Every structure is written in structure tokens, then in C-alpha cells.
Amino acid sequence: AQSYLSFNVIQVQGELISGGMVEWLVGWLERGAPDAYGLEYGAALLMNLCLNTHGRSACGKVISHH
């Protein structure tokens, strides 16, 4: 059951990354999260997406454009 859950997490991460979530999150955090709760969870989501190889690549592209 755990390997099935891990596969689903990787699949969801891939969908979020390919859908532009890394870029959106960086922009949202740059503009200022609405509150401390949003900042905490937005930063945590970005960190988790960047643990994925494709997420690190997307984050690197965002950084190189700044």
C-alpha cells in the first residue's frame, strides 16, 4: 500500500510541476503571501515540489529569469 501511495505522490507532484505550480508559487510568494499561514504552506509546497528532479529544474529556470 505504501508503494502505491508513493507512486501517487510522485504522479501528483509531476502534474503540479508540469502545470506551472512552481512558477506560480514563486510569483505568489514574491508578491507577498496573504498571511503567515499562506506563507508557511506555500513555502512548504514549493520545498516539496523542489525535492522532485523536474521541480528543481523548474525552480532553476525561475531563478535564472530574475
Side-chain angles (χ1 to χ4, degrees), residues 21-41:
M21 182 57 78
V22 170
E23 296 83 358
W24 184 87
L25 276 169
V26 169
W28 185 69
L29 290 169
E30 282 181 337
R31 290 187 300 277
D35 57 17
Y37 182 83
L39 175 63
E40 180 181 351
Y41 283 91

Side-chain angles (χ1 to χ4, degrees), residues 1-10:
Q2 186 174 356
S3 63
Y4 178 74
L5 179 61
S6 296
F7 176 75
N8 282 336
V9 168
I10 292 169

Side-chain angles (χ1 to χ4, degrees), residues 43-59:
L45 177 56
L46 181 61
M47 180 192 71
N48 280 305
L49 292 176
C50 289
L51 292 174
N52 181 298
T53 303
H54 298 293
R56 281 193 299 277
S57 176
C59 203

